[in-house]
Every structure is written in structure tokens, then in C-alpha cells.
Amino acid sequence: MEKQEFEMLMKQDSIRKHQTAAESLDVLLNENPGEKRVSLIINNNSNCNIIVRFAGEKFYNLPIYRHSKNFIVVEKGTYSLGANLCNARYSATKTFDDSATMTLAENQ
């Protein structure tokens, strides 16, 4: 089931990639305290394709190919994050007030 969702999200992601890239660069290059959004880069160092799920006041799903990275622009705030990293479950609560880079990997 998640494999089909991943494929659908990747199709949507590829259609919006230019817009998302421009938006992400705008947020990164023009960071100011009044900005309500942050740009996040997430590295997937696992051997599986993953969907990183953000749950907060707003919800986002970010698909990332294995051994790759993807980026997203989200509203500032606190989110519960979740992802299936092959046979491991990633779960965390994070507050994003600034743009950031995260790396997810399987436990070796």
C-alpha cells in the first residue's frame, strides 16, 4: 500500500519540483524573522524508498528515493514526524523555526 502511495507522491512531486525549488531557494536566501515558512532538506541514507510524514497544524508527505534527498517548504511550527525506514520505524517531534537539513538512516 505504501509503495503505491510513494509512487503517486513522486509523480506529484516531479510535477511541482520547479515551483518547490524556487520557493525553497526564496525561503533560504531571504530568511528573515517575519518569514512564516522554512525550507527542509531531508537525506534518506536507507536502502528503501520512504515517505516522511509531517503532522502538525498542517500536514505534509514528502517522498524520498533510497540513498537520495528531497526538500520541502513547510510552515514554521512543531510537527510529529514519522517514516518507515525499511524494517525500522522513525518517529520524532521537532520544532522548525529555521531552515534545516536532516538525515534519516537505518540502524546498522
Side-chain angles (χ1 to χ4, degrees):
M1 185 91 135
E2 191 164 299
K3 182 179 178 181
Q4 292 172 336
E5 182 183 7
F6 178 85
E7 291 171 7
M8 180 196 67
L9 288 169
M10 284 309 294
K11 284 180 187 175
Q12 293 172 350
D13 187 66
S14 66
I15 292 168
R16 295 188 310 237
K17 188 54 75 186
H18 292 293
Q19 177 186 347
T20 305
E23 188 178 11
S24 182
L25 282 173
D26 184 53
V27 169
L28 286 170
L29 296 174
N30 298 311
E31 272 202 55
N32 67 59
E35 177 63 60
K36 294 182 170 127
R37 303 168 300 160
V38 294
S39 179
L40 304 175
I41 298 170
I42 302 179
N43 297 300
N44 175 7
N45 288 352
S46 79
N47 290 317
C48 300
N49 297 333
I50 63 172
I51 300 171
V52 179
R53 301 177 190 282
F54 296 77
E57 282 191 39
K58 294 204 174 188
F59 297 88
Y60 306 92
N61 292 320
L62 180 66
I64 311 170
Y65 286 117
R66 66 181 180 205
H67 299 289
S68 187
K69 62 184 154 193
N70 204 348
F71 53 90
I72 189 170
V73 175
V74 301
E75 297 288 324
K76 288 182 178 179
T78 301
Y79 294 90
S80 295
L81 277 68
N84 288 321
L85 293 162
C86 301
N87 293 322
R89 178 82 181 130
Y90 171 77
S91 179
T93 299
K94 298 210 178 267
T95 299
F96 297 108
D97 291 325
D98 294 307
S99 294
T101 300
M102 294 175 47
T103 299
L104 301 178
E106 300 167 83
N107 290 335
Q108 300 290 328

